[in-house]
Amino acid sequence: MKFMTVKEREEALIFNVQGEGRLVVGPQRVFLFRERLEQLKLVCASQYQYLVMKDRFGMVTHKRGPCEMFHNPLEHDSVYVENAIKIDANHMIIVYHRVKQSVERSVIRGPAIFFPEAEEWLHKFVWHGSDPQDKARMIPSSRKFTQLAAIPDQFYYNVRDVRTTDDIIITVKLMIFYGLQDVITMLDTTHDPVADMINAVCADVIAYVGRRTYAQFLEQTDELSRLTTFPQLVQRTERVGFSVHKVVYRGYHATEQLQAMQTEAIEARTRLRLDAEIEGQRQQLVDYKLEKEQARTKLRQSMEESKQNHKQKVDGLKQAHELGMKQEEHKYQLEIEDKWVRARLDLQAGEQKDAEEHLRELHHLGVDMTKYMLSQQAAPVNEEVQFVGLDRKGS
């Protein structure tokens, strides 16, 4: 016998000796006599969670959060919390819902938060996936997911052991870009579209390489990056609701012996090409030096020609200047002489005019002009010329 307290926001079950139980909701203080009290566990779900409740008869119900509930063993076999499904943008989920005797299918696209009901379940995709140790190797059923991406995706794949017409075995390396077009068609026609694409691309590569020799394959590898080379891949992806955007050829791999031979041939070709490039660069350097020397010679000649032209121009200008100066000086002298002659003539004319005026005045005064003129002439001077002879000695 004892007293027990059930606090506020708590619940408990009290069992008697016969195994009968009764629910006690707090706050409450109870007296126990030959009884046992068991606290109930409170289960809480946030706004991004929901409660999964399974009753004693197997009926399962869901309750969306935020909510809380006590796990009462008398009513529920189990009560637990599950997270809601957060669907990112460009993703979708396939939900199956039981309606009476049938099942309906719906597609929910993101971004969204999905709370499944008790009679709903998600489609689980099981596809081929890349090997973590070798990204170009696909492993069956290794990729499992419930959210289907609606954005374009890609994967690497190596088509192994492909034989040419001359019995050379090679491995062709490809990268395939694809995208989802119709999810309903995909769900109705295939359970693993990646496997379908792998089988189709293997068939296309085998058909392409099988019609060519090894040398022809090396010459025409650019065709492996064209969609027209992969008709079966394009047709198969369209049938399963996908589309191939692009196929990229990433190279090839042959046997070790053939690869060694190919490596030696590549090294030889590379060596020859490098030698040719070095010789070409050397010849270009020689040509460059000759061109620069020729240009330098032309520049010197041009500079010399410019100097000569400049000197001739300066000499010409100097001569023209000197000639101009001489012409100006001669002109000036001529002008001075002309002025001097004119002044002399003017002076002579003035003197003659004065003489005429003087004579005229004398004539008016009654002077005998003949006698006057004779008196003005100077008396003749007797000149004596003496010849002195020289002796032979020069004295």
Side-chain angles (χ1 to χ4, degrees):
M1 295 185 298
K2 60 181 177 179
F3 284 94
M4 296 290 292
T5 300
V6 180
K7 299 180 182 178
E8 186 177 0
R9 295 184 55 80
E10 290 183 355
E11 293 183 4
L13 288 178
I14 299 177
F15 295 94
N16 57 22
V17 293
Q18 282 80 24
E20 298 174 347
R22 57 189 176 91
L23 180 65
V24 177
V25 180
Q28 190 174 154
R29 186 169 179 80
V30 296
F31 177 73
L32 301 179
F33 176 72
R34 301 180 67 185
E35 291 175 325
R36 176 175 58 87
L37 185 140
E38 182 179 336
Q39 294 283 351
L40 299 184
K41 180 182 178 182
L42 180 63
V43 183
C44 299
S46 66
Q47 65 270 26
Y48 300 113
Q49 297 175 329
Y50 61 94
L51 295 179
V52 180
M53 300 167 291
K54 181 179 180 181
D55 62 16
R56 301 301 297 270
F57 302 101
M59 179 65 68
V60 179
T61 56
H62 293 179
K63 186 177 181 180
R64 182 181 300 185
C67 61
E68 61 181 16
M69 182 179 181
F70 287 96
H71 180 196
N72 188 350
L74 298 180
E75 298 178 357
H76 297 93
D77 184 57
S78 63
V79 177
Y80 56 91
V81 178
E82 288 286 352
N83 294 322
I85 300 174
K86 297 179 181 179
I87 308 173
D88 299 332
N90 299 319
H91 284 73
M92 64 183 74
I93 60 174
I94 312 301
V95 180
Y96 295 95
H97 180 71
R98 176 180 164 184
V99 180
K100 295 182 180 180
Q101 301 300 324
S102 63
V103 176
E104 295 180 355
R105 182 177 60 194
S106 60
V107 179
I108 300 178
R109 301 178 183 273
I113 298 177
F114 176 69
F115 293 89
E117 299 296 335
E119 296 184 349
E120 292 179 340
W121 66 94
L122 302 182
H123 182 93
K124 187 175 182 180
F125 298 94
V126 182
W127 292 0
H128 274 62
S130 299
D131 187 355
Q133 305 299 328
D134 184 4
K135 64 179 181 180
R137 179 174 177 270
M138 306 299 288
I139 302 176
S141 304
S142 64
R143 185 181 175 190
K144 301 177 181 180
F145 57 95
T146 56
Q147 292 195 23
L148 180 64
I151 56 178
D153 200 356
Q154 73 281 335
F155 63 88
Y156 298 91
Y157 189 70
N158 293 345
V159 184
R160 306 176 187 275
D161 299 333
V162 184
R163 187 180 296 272
T164 62
T165 55
D166 50 355
D167 291 334
I168 301 298
I169 299 177
I170 59 176
T171 297
V172 180
K173 302 177 181 180
L174 301 174
M175 186 176 183
I176 302 174
F177 294 81
Y178 65 94
L180 179 64
Q181 298 295 325
D182 190 347
V183 62
I184 302 301
T185 303
M186 185 267 292
L187 293 173
D188 293 338
T189 56
T190 182
H191 66 280
D192 190 349
V194 176
D196 296 336
M197 286 187 278
I198 291 174
N199 294 331
V201 77
C202 287
D204 287 329
V205 172
I206 292 173
Y208 176 81
V209 177
R211 298 191 298 268
R212 290 166 175 80
T213 63
Y214 181 70
Q216 292 174 343
F217 169 77
L218 295 181
E219 294 176 356
Q220 302 173 6
T221 52
D222 59 318
E223 297 182 1
L224 290 173
S225 294
R226 305 173 186 173
L227 285 180
T228 54
T229 311
F230 305 93
Q232 298 186 58
L233 174 63
V234 174
Q235 294 176 4
R236 183 56 185 169
T237 52
E238 291 178 353
R239 291 176 184 174
V240 297
F242 283 80
S243 64
V244 177
H245 300 159
K246 183 169 57 174
V247 177
V248 178
Y249 170 70
R250 299 189 304 113
Y252 75 98
H253 181 73
T255 59
E256 294 182 359
Q257 295 80 3
L258 183 62
Q259 193 67 34
M261 295 172 59
Q262 186 70 15
T263 302
E264 292 179 359
I266 292 174
E267 290 178 354
R269 288 196 298 268
T270 303
R271 190 180 303 108
L272 293 175
R273 186 174 65 253
L274 290 177
D275 293 341
E277 291 179 357
I278 292 173
E279 182 63 22
Q281 291 178 358
R282 192 179 67 82
Q283 295 296 333
Q284 290 178 0
L285 181 60
V286 173
D287 295 340
Y288 178 77
K289 289 181 178 179
L290 292 176
E291 290 177 359
K292 289 301 180 181
E293 187 65 28
Q294 185 178 7
R296 193 176 293 109
T297 303
K298 290 182 178 180
L299 182 60
R300 290 197 189 101
Q301 294 175 355
S302 177
M303 292 175 64
E304 292 294 333
E305 184 178 358
S306 299
K307 289 180 180 179
Q308 293 296 331
N309 293 334
H310 179 69
K311 184 177 180 181
Q312 292 177 1
K313 185 176 180 180
V314 172
D315 293 342
L317 292 175
K318 185 177 180 180
Q319 292 176 2
H321 178 69
E322 291 177 354
L323 181 61
M325 292 294 293
K326 289 181 179 180
Q327 290 177 354
E328 290 293 332
E329 184 179 356
H330 181 67
K331 182 178 179 182
Y332 180 71
Q333 291 178 356
L334 291 176
E335 290 179 356
I336 293 175
E337 291 178 358
D338 184 60
K339 290 181 180 180
W340 184 80
V341 170
R342 288 181 182 179
R344 183 179 177 185
L345 292 175
D346 291 341
L347 180 60
Q348 290 178 358
E351 291 178 352
Q352 185 177 2
K353 185 177 180 181
D354 292 340
E356 290 178 355
E357 289 292 334
H358 180 67
L359 293 174
R360 193 178 290 111
E361 290 179 358
L362 292 176
H363 178 71
H364 287 306
L365 293 175
V367 177
D368 188 357
M369 298 304 298
T370 303
K371 293 180 178 181
Y372 177 78
M373 294 297 293
L374 291 174
S375 64
Q376 293 297 320
Q377 295 180 356
V381 178
N382 292 326
E383 297 180 355
E384 182 179 356
V385 180
Q386 183 178 3
F387 296 94
V388 178
L390 299 174
D391 56 8
R392 291 180 181 179
K393 294 181 180 181
S395 58

